């Protein structure tokens, strides 16, 4: 662990006028575009002015646009883009904390912090999300069973509320619990102080194995998941019969310095600079992707190839951080592969005691031949305190489905009902179409959230397409 104390205070930004544009916005799934006036403040004062002058249709914060659905859209209103508020304010390399503005991305934090021997405590499948977005969605990663969600590691945050005040909000308060996972509807996060994870290298030690069916996967995760900081399974949702739910399970932890004594190209390179962070990039997909590329037959063939190319059982492989955590980030604009219609991401969680519901959901998806090649299953630990935080103890399944699939709306409604009956929930940061009547059963603190919003923001200054659609 680093021994020195480092503090970096960025100079105050120049008071240049904020960017103002009218834009058509979508989520990362590319569905349901709506128009809004987009403001990009560069200072706190400009952020306050943007919120106070947002107009009758209100405002919502937007970072790098990685929410899959309509959480960062506001039809006919104002969208406050936070990427202009992107200063790393201070780093305490002894205590292991960073204070930064809300528009700083996790990619930037990794670039700054890894050379000092620190890593972000939780990262989702992309590092191109902002700190404000990570708090608003209370993101989770491959380590939820060990570390919980992102806001468990937030020591304090500054929140710009509807009255123009900037409030310091700390864990344990009602406002913190409403903001954690509150999808930006309690106010605009301006900055946060975050506890970090000490690391000795920028590599991972990874174990990989193939599991022949869903029962084998669930049993293996139940028996061994607590032995690893990170775990995730890619699951073949098109396999049928005895192979239904077969998976490639990947688990790992941050590689210690002694792991660099191994042979191999990565170990040799890392010995020269153990904390170097150099994620690679591949060319983006073409802007126009042929229709019908992602259909049942092509995805079935891809899934079969992906499953059989994985090792039956491999232990202790060294991998780069970017390869382990964010493989899709190496392909800019990978969402284009779904074509102009875009895609829907559906993610649920059901309790361990309802694994029969998970099995039914997997069977339904398999029988429907949903062409999903980005399907993952993880095990969550105990739920988080955020009133609208998604994680709850149990199994979480996420999949991408082309939005143009015939009958998709009715099919997803069927899956939603399976989840609701099992006492589970859907992830609001990925939702684009859930029926609002299911929400109270999925989120028991919903009435508390609505009541706090009514007290804090009676004029509805903070709102979004998601908020209107689900009556949040």
């Amino acid at each position: 662990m680093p021994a020195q104390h480092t503090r970096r205070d960025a100079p105050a930004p120049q008071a240049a006028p904020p960017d103002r544009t009218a834009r058509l916005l979508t989520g990362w799934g590319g569905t349901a575009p709506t128009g809004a006036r987009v403001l990009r403040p560069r200072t706190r004062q400009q952020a306050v002015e943007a919120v106070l002058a947002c107009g009758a249709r209100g405002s919502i914060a937007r970072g790098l646009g990685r929410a899959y659905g309509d959480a960062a859209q506001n039809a006919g209103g104002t969208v406050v883009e936070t990427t202009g508020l992107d200063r790393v304010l201070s780093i305490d390399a002894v205590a292991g904390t960073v204070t930064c503005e809300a528009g700083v991305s996790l990619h930037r934090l990794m670039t700054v912090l890894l050379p000092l021997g620190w890593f972000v405590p939780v990262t989702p499948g992309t590092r191109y999300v902002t700190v404000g977005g990570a708090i608003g969605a209370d993101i989770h990663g491959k380590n939820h069973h060990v570390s919980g969600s992102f806001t468990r590691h937030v020591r304090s945050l500054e929140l710009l509320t509807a009255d123009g005040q900037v409030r310091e909000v700390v864990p344990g308060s009602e406002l913190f619990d409403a903001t954690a996972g509150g999808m930006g509807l309690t106010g605009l996060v301006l900055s946060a102080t975050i506890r970090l994870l000490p690391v000795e290298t920028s590599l991972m030690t990874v174990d990989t194995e193939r599991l022949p069916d869903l029962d084998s996967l669930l049993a293996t995760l139940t028996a061994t998941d607590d032995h690893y900081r990170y775990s995730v399974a890619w699951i073949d949702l098109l396999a049928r019969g005895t192979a239904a739910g077969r998976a490639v399970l990947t688990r790992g932890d941050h590689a210690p310095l002694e792991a660099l004594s191994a042979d191999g190209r990565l170990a040799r390179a890392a010995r020269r600079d153990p904390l170097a962070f150099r994620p690679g990039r591949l060319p983006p997909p073409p802007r126009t992707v042929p229709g019908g590329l992602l259909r049942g037959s092509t995805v079935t063939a891809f899934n079969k190839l992906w499953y059989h190319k994985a090792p039956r059982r491999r232990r202790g492989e060294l991998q780069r951080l970017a390869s382990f955590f964010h493989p899709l980030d190496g392909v800019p604009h990978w969402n284009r592969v779904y074509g102009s219609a875009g895609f829907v991401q559906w993610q649920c969680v059901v309790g361990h005691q309802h694994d029969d519901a998970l099995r039914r959901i997997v069977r339904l998806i398999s029988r429907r031949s949903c062409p999903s090649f980005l399907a993952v299953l993880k095990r969550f630990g105990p739920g988080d305190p955020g009133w609208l935080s998604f994680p709850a103890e149990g199994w979480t399944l996420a999949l991408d489905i082309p939005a143009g699939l015939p009958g998709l709306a009715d099919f997803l409604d069927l899956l939603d009902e399976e989840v609701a009956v099992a006492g589970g929930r859907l992830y609001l940061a990925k939702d684009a179409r859930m029926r609002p009547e299911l929400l109270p059963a999925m989120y028991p603190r919903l009435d508390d959230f609505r009541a706090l919003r009514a007290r804090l923001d009676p004029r509805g200054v903070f709102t979004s397409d998601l908020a209107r659609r689900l009556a949040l």
Side-chain angles (χ1 to χ4, degrees):
M1 184 182 299
Q4 81 277 15
H5 178 86
T6 304
R7 180 176 177 88
R8 298 182 177 181
D9 288 308
Q14 297 297 314
D19 295 334
R20 301 172 184 267
T21 58
R23 282 165 50 191
L24 199 62
L25 300 172
T26 71
W28 190 244
T31 60
T34 57
R37 178 182 64 150
V38 179
L39 301 180
R40 187 172 179 267
R42 295 185 175 90
T43 68
R44 287 172 170 237
Q45 183 56 38
Q46 289 177 357
V48 172
E49 292 167 359
V51 167
L52 292 178
C54 64
R57 292 286 287 180
S59 65
I60 193 66
R62 182 182 179 94
L64 291 168
R66 290 303 181 103
Y68 283 78
D70 52 2
Q73 297 170 226
N74 185 21
T78 298
V79 169
V80 181
E81 195 171 81
T82 63
T83 54
L85 302 170
D86 62 349
R87 293 185 299 158
V88 176
L89 300 172
S90 65
I91 301 169
D92 187 334
V94 175
T97 62
V98 62
T99 300
C100 62
E101 292 182 317
V104 173
S105 69
L106 298 192
H107 172 83
R108 173 111 181 272
L109 286 184
M110 292 176 196
T111 302
V112 171
L113 296 169
L114 270 167
L116 301 175
W118 297 99
F119 190 65
V120 295
V122 172
T123 176
T126 175
R127 60 187 178 274
Y128 294 109
V129 297
T130 62
V131 167
I135 293 169
D138 200 11
I139 59 171
H140 57 271
K142 298 176 176 67
N143 60 339
H144 188 275
H145 61 291
V146 172
S147 302
S149 61
F150 189 86
T151 59
R152 282 188 181 270
H153 307 272
V154 174
R155 299 183 66 172
S156 65
L157 60 88
E158 290 183 304
L159 187 71
L160 170 60
T161 50
D163 55 6
Q165 293 186 47
V166 177
R167 308 178 187 222
E168 183 176 4
V169 185
V170 296
S173 65
E174 278 195 335
L175 187 51
F176 188 94
D177 290 346
T179 301
M183 305 309 298
L185 298 173
T186 61
L188 179 69
V189 176
L190 294 175
S191 69
T193 298
I194 306 156
R195 288 192 305 271
L196 303 170
L197 178 71
V199 296
E200 296 179 357
T201 75
S202 61
L203 297 182
M204 305 293 294
T205 54
V206 181
D207 294 349
T208 306
E209 63 182 296
R210 294 195 320 233
L211 282 306
D213 53 47
L214 183 60
D215 286 344
S216 299
L217 173 60
L218 299 185
T220 300
L221 283 170
T222 300
T224 66
D225 213 24
D226 291 335
H227 302 161
Y228 296 86
R229 181 178 293 275
Y230 304 100
S231 66
V232 64
W234 169 88
I235 184 170
D236 184 356
L237 293 176
L238 288 175
R240 297 188 179 186
T242 59
R246 65 186 177 184
V248 179
L249 177 59
T250 307
R251 295 168 292 179
D253 207 337
H254 297 274
L257 277 171
E258 56 261 31
L260 304 187
S261 61
D263 292 331
R265 178 179 56 83
L266 276 183
R268 288 194 297 272
R271 284 196 288 269
R272 294 192 293 270
D273 190 353
L275 291 166
F277 179 56
R278 301 187 187 96
R281 302 273 280 183
L282 296 172
R287 288 190 173 273
T288 303
V289 177
L293 179 64
L294 295 179
R295 56 185 185 272
S297 58
T298 56
V299 177
T300 296
F302 171 86
N303 284 4
K304 184 176 181 180
L305 176 64
W306 190 261
Y307 177 77
H308 286 289
K309 73 180 280 290
R312 291 184 182 275
R313 187 179 179 89
R314 182 171 60 201
R315 293 288 182 264
E317 180 191 17
L318 289 177
Q319 291 184 12
R320 291 189 175 92
L321 281 169
S323 300
F324 181 78
F325 287 109
H326 315 118
L328 288 175
D329 281 348
V331 184
H333 306 293
W334 61 263
N335 54 343
R336 292 178 187 168
V337 76
Y338 289 91
S340 59
F343 69 97
V344 173
Q345 179 153 123
W346 184 86
Q347 183 169 2
C348 73
V349 59
V350 295
H352 291 129
Q353 70 276 25
H354 293 291
D355 55 8
D356 57 331
L358 178 64
R359 291 184 175 88
R360 284 196 301 274
I361 289 168
V362 169
R363 284 197 299 269
L364 286 168
I365 295 169
S366 176
R367 290 171 187 165
R368 181 64 172 75
S369 296
C370 282
S372 176
F373 65 93
L374 295 176
V376 297
L377 187 139
K378 292 179 288 196
R379 188 171 73 93
F380 279 161
D384 301 287
W387 292 350
L388 296 188
S389 290
F390 168 66
E393 192 163 14
W395 306 107
T396 179
L397 175 67
L399 60 149
D400 294 349
I401 310 172
L405 192 69
L408 179 60
D410 289 341
F411 178 68
L412 291 180
D413 283 347
L414 174 63
L415 297 187
D416 293 351
E417 289 166 6
E418 288 280 352
V419 172
V421 168
R425 60 183 59 151
L426 302 184
Y427 192 13
L428 296 181
K430 296 185 177 180
D431 177 62
R433 28 67 48 202
M434 177 173 49
R435 302 200 315 270
E437 60 266 26
L438 294 179
L439 200 61
M442 294 182 175
Y443 288 92
R445 300 297 301 271
L446 179 62
D447 285 345
D448 294 328
F449 180 79
R450 287 169 170 164
L452 183 141
R453 281 198 68 211
R455 295 195 309 269
L456 192 67
D457 185 7
R459 296 186 296 112
V461 169
F462 292 102
T463 190
S464 65
D465 291 355
L466 172 76
R468 283 187 283 266
R469 176 168 58 82
L470 294 179
L472 291 172

